Amino acid sequence: LWRARVPRYTTQSDEGMGKPLSIEEVEVAPPKAHEVRVKIVATGICRTDDHVLKGSFPNIDYPVIPGHEGAGIVESIGEGVTCVKPGEKVIPLCLPQCGECSSCLNPDTNCCLKTHLYESQNLMPDKTSRFTCKGKAIHHFLWISTFSEYTVMPDSAIARIDDDAPLDKVCLFGCGFSTGYGAAINTAKVKPGSTCAIFGLGGVGLSVVIGCKSAGASRIIGIDINKDKFTKARELGATECINPQDFKKPIQEVLVEMTGHGVDYSFEVIGHTDTMVAALASCHMNSGTCVMVGAPPSGSQLSFDPMLLFTGRTWKGSIIGGWKTKDSIPKLVSGYMEKKFNPDVLITHTLPFDKINEGFELLQSGKSIRTVLLF
Ligand code: COD
Ligand code: ZN
Ligand code: ZN
């Protein structure tokens, strides 16, 4: 058994909920058939991990080892694994690609039915855990739990990447960059010369900015209540940045005034229901497309004027940027190696894994875009 240091999250009923994480010794069992054990080298901290920490991510069983934006090296493989070999560089996939379900077989969709939204991924597919701490089983997160030096995942949730890829940078392809960039490229299919509005300029929102820019948008409007996010947004291609708190009228009215009839494409990258509706109302009443990137709060409901859709707007959701993950993430990493895009600028902090709590504090205070933790 490998011994790995991991942060152990408190259970939902624990009084310690919301307290800093503790790092524990965990035993990581060998991979079973069609599973892979990976040595994680680097992992980013995404807002979704913070939702797990706070208990606001749906269908999580605690205690759990979160983390879903990692990169590492295959340590060992179980029976029947053919897609990777020990020693190869890999990115764990927070959305698997099983290759067999109706979504995987459809060339136009990417949301594999093995996602945690359909079936819990708190345990391996055989409904057991590979993690044990002080004799007690610990849950997996999205099948990949990258906040662990060693972790086990099904072979549908792993992609081999370029041997030369720098793992401390390409870990962002596991979630943040791929999610935002793909929302612009695949889901919205932003056209050259168009106008785009991005609500929320965190790591994912800034990746949408990169996508809009590379698709040739001529006007890119960034929206955030934290004006400290504007410098980086402008650096990456935002032509204007606005803070809703600087205006008396609703932000959708400001955007319609700025553009005449609303933007061609709007993106909600915050995960709030009010900004989801504001983003829809900000796009052109007839030809506008609004893409929902931020996950809605669990159990929430939307209330909006149906006239917003009746006139012809399109409202779409996007998970992991619409990419079929196993097929596409290696290609995105190759694109990075060929310098087609550079998400390195999103990494504002790099810390040793032991400073994971500091990484979460930086996220919570709005001081970081992405913190990468190194083992
Ligand atoms: N108006 C404008 N900006 C706001 C508002 C508001 N009312 N509230 C917050 N913001 C800004 C914040 O200041 C911040 O800059 C930004 O919105 C959010 O950024 P981060 O850094 O907190 O978060 P990201 O970019 O890492 O992730 C945001 C998501 C919403 C994409 C993420 O939390 C999420 O919901 N992911 C699920 C979707 C998905 O596909 N996930 C894949 C695995 S995570
Ligand atoms: Zn994420
Ligand atoms: Zn599938």
Side-chain angles (χ1 to χ4, degrees):
L1 293 183
W2 284 95
R3 301 191 65 85
R5 289 172 304 141
V6 302
R8 180 184 157 261
Y9 278 72
T10 54
T11 66
Q12 256 174 323
S13 56
D14 266 350
E15 281 177 19
M17 187 88 182
K19 279 192 186 164
L21 316 172
S22 68
I23 293 183
E24 306 276 346
E25 289 265 316
V26 164
E27 288 173 356
V28 184
K32 293 192 180 176
H34 289 285
E35 293 178 1
V36 181
R37 189 162 56 182
V38 173
K39 181 176 184 0
I40 298 290
V41 173
T43 178
I45 301 178
C46 171
R47 176 64 68 178
T48 298
D49 298 310
D50 194 46
H51 289 318
V52 176
L53 175 58
K54 298 208 165 96
S56 54
F57 191 91
N59 307 326
I60 294 290
D61 293 322
Y62 297 77
V64 62
I65 301 171
H68 64 283
E69 196 176 71
I73 295 169
V74 174
E75 179 272 329
S76 59
I77 56 175
E79 219 184 290
V81 173
T82 54
C83 59
V84 291
K85 289 199 282 292
E88 289 177 346
K89 288 187 177 174
V90 289
I91 289 189
L93 307 172
C94 59
L95 174 67
Q97 185 184 340
C98 77
E100 289 163 3
C101 71
S102 56
S103 286
C104 285
L105 293 172
N106 181 338
D108 301 325
T109 58
N110 77 320
C111 193
C112 173
L113 300 184
K114 298 284 178 198
T115 161
H116 71 100
L117 298 170
Y118 290 103
E119 221 178 278
S120 167
Q121 295 177 337
N122 291 167
L123 294 169
M124 286 289 106
D126 74 349
K127 307 291 176 215
T128 62
S129 170
R130 302 290 163 271
F131 297 126
T132 317
C133 181
K134 296 178 185 134
K136 193 177 172 218
I138 307 291
H139 294 96
H140 295 252
F141 175 57
L142 301 179
W143 275 348
I144 59 177
S145 296
T146 63
F147 291 165
S148 176
E149 259 177 310
Y150 289 88
T151 181
V152 176
M153 62 212 64
D155 59 0
S156 58
I158 191 165
R160 186 190 169 185
I161 55 163
D162 221 299
D163 291 336
D164 303 326
L167 299 178
D168 58 336
K169 302 287 190 298
V170 300
C171 54
L172 261 52
F173 286 83
C175 174
F177 180 72
S178 304
T179 298
Y181 183 76
I185 301 287
N186 293 328
T187 314
K189 297 192 169 58
V190 168
K191 288 190 189 138
S194 58
T195 298
C196 302
I198 296 103
F199 287 70
L201 300 171
V204 182
L206 290 174
S207 302
V208 176
V209 172
I210 298 176
C212 293
K213 164 111 176 149
S214 76
S218 55
R219 222 175 148 187
I220 301 172
I221 307 169
I223 300 133
D224 204 297
I225 48 171
N226 179 352
K227 65 176 175 18
D228 295 345
K229 307 276 170 161
F230 294 168
T231 315
K232 199 139 263 183
R234 288 203 185 92
E235 213 178 290
L236 292 170
T239 53
E240 292 135 279
C241 287
I242 55 174
N243 180 347
Q245 293 166 339
D246 291 343
F247 300 90
K248 286 212 176 71
K249 56 177 84 160
I251 196 69
Q252 55 269 38
E253 287 179 26
V254 175
L255 284 160
V256 169
E257 267 173 29
M258 281 171 76
T259 54
H261 299 280
V263 299
D264 299 308
Y265 306 96
S266 58
F267 299 85
E268 202 280 351
V269 206
I270 304 163
H272 293 173
T273 50
D274 53 345
T275 41
M276 286 172 188
V277 178
L280 177 66
S282 303
C283 69
H284 190 282
M285 67 182 284
N286 189 227
S287 57
T289 297
C290 175
V291 180
M292 191 188 287
V293 185
S298 53
S300 60
Q301 299 274 313
L302 274 177
S303 165
F304 66 100
D305 180 351
M307 195 56 89
L308 290 170
L309 289 180
F310 182 68
T311 55
R313 289 180 180 88
T314 304
W315 209 358
K316 303 175 93 174
S318 180
I319 286 199
I320 314 294
W323 303 107
K324 280 193 187 288
T325 51
K326 210 175 168 80
D327 296 342
S328 305
I329 287 178
K331 289 182 193 153
L332 285 167
V333 171
S334 301
Y336 167 81
M337 300 303 285
E338 291 158 15
K339 302 198 179 347
K340 283 190 187 150
F341 28 69
N342 185 7
D344 291 7
V345 282
L346 304 178
I347 303 172
T348 49
H349 300 78
T350 302
L351 296 173
F353 182 72
D354 291 356
K355 296 204 168 153
I356 186 165
N357 284 315
E358 210 174 291
F360 273 95
E361 280 159 24
L362 287 163
L363 176 77
Q364 288 155 0
S365 63
K367 290 191 184 122
S368 62
I369 299 293
R370 271 298 190 267
T371 296
V372 170
L373 304 168
L374 301 176
F375 283 98

